[in-house]
């Protein structure tokens, strides 16, 4: 099933089949960033030859480029490169790491990462699936990581509720309804069907709230809604 938050063991046929080529309808510029030349060569080899991916150099990063950042953990050099590419250059990010600690998880999402791939799962299919999801502004998180994110933000939510007071920024009921279904893994079409909206309406709702609240992608929007106690 196609979903906003895809797991590593679902949508097995969606990364390289012709239907997805038709869905993408454009070539995606992709830059690979890592301090490890062997990791860089490996990721380039996995992505090279994909029919909708164009591999580009760091100097060619522009809005709409997907940056694949590779490291053992999201340490400060990797996060610094991530912030620069997302915030200054308008890229969309895929993070390929071996480990993310609890204290790093929200920081990674709020830096603008929409897709995360465990290094031991970084096959050609898995990497291209994450790149395509990031290029659409969708989230693509491993199932275990999504569960950790929800649990961690739920703890923050309960802490905020215990202190009383209202969330700092408001979401209208329609936005909450859409985000709740995004968090459940539904894609745009499924959300539209569930809420009896058009797909255009769902896209407009997501665009409106992410623009108004300065959120970078759907993963960041869900993290925000969870943190503020809306869902």
């Amino acid at each position: 099933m196609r979903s906003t938050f895809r797991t590593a063991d679902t949508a097995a046929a969606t990364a390289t089949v012709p239907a997805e080529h038709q869905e993408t309808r454009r070539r995606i510029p992709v830059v690979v960033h890592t301090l490890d030349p062997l990791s860089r060569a490996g990721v380039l080899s996995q992505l090279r030859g994909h029919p909708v991916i164009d591999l580009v150099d760091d100097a060619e990063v522009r809005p709409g480029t997907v940056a694949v950042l590779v490291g053992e953990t999201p340490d400060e050099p990797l996060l610094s490169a991530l912030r620069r590419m997302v915030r200054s250059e308008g890229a969309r990010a895929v993070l390929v790491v071996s480990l993310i600690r609890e204290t790093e998880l929200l920081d990674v999402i709020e830096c603008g990462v929409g897709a995360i791939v465990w290094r031991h799962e970084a096959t050609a299919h898995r990497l291209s699936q994450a790149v395509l999801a990031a290029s659409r502004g969708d989230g693509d998180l491993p199932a275990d990581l999504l569960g950790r994110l929800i649990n961690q933000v739920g703890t923050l939510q309960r802490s905020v509720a215990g202190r009383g007071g209202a969330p700092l920024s408001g979401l209208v009921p329609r936005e909450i309804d859409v985000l709740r279904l995004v968090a459940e893994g539904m894609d745009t079409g499924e959300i539209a069907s569930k809420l009896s909206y058009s797909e255009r309406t769902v896209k407009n709702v997501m665009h409106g709230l992410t623009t108004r609240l300065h959120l970078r992608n759907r993963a960041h929007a869900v993290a925000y809604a969870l943190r503020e106690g809306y869902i």
Side-chain angles (χ1 to χ4, degrees), residues 27-168:
R27 296 188 66 81
I28 303 167
V30 175
V31 61
V32 177
H33 177 88
T34 177
L35 298 179
D36 176 9
L38 287 178
S39 295
R40 176 180 171 79
V43 172
L44 290 174
S45 175
Q46 297 282 46
L47 294 177
R48 185 174 289 115
H50 190 283
V52 300
I53 289 176
D54 279 330
L55 297 171
V56 301
D57 296 328
D58 283 10
E60 299 178 69
V61 176
R62 60 185 187 276
T65 299
V66 175
V68 180
L69 298 101
V70 186
E72 283 299 315
T73 63
D75 55 17
E76 188 51 42
L78 196 65
L79 289 178
S80 178
L82 170 63
R83 295 186 192 102
R84 171 178 56 82
M85 290 183 173
V86 172
R87 298 177 183 178
S88 301
E89 299 172 355
R92 294 176 172 176
V94 174
L95 189 63
V96 183
V97 291
S98 298
L99 173 70
I100 298 179
R101 299 177 181 87
E102 297 297 332
T103 55
E104 299 165 333
L105 187 50
L106 279 177
D107 287 340
V108 165
I109 296 297
E110 292 183 345
C111 279
V113 171
I116 298 173
V117 177
W118 296 130
R119 289 188 67 147
H120 69 275
E121 296 178 348
T123 62
H125 164 73
R126 185 71 189 91
L127 288 169
S128 60
Q129 173 184 305
V131 166
L132 292 169
S135 74
R136 295 190 298 267
D138 290 345
D140 188 349
L141 305 183
D144 59 329
L145 200 56
L146 179 56
R148 285 167 53 193
L149 175 63
I150 292 173
N151 289 337
Q152 184 177 349
V153 180
T155 300
L156 290 174
Q157 173 187 328
R158 290 189 292 273
S159 175
V160 171
R163 296 197 299 268
L168 296 177

Side-chain angles (χ1 to χ4, degrees), residues 8-21:
D9 55 358
T10 59
T14 60
T16 58
V17 296
E20 185 166 82
H21 301 168

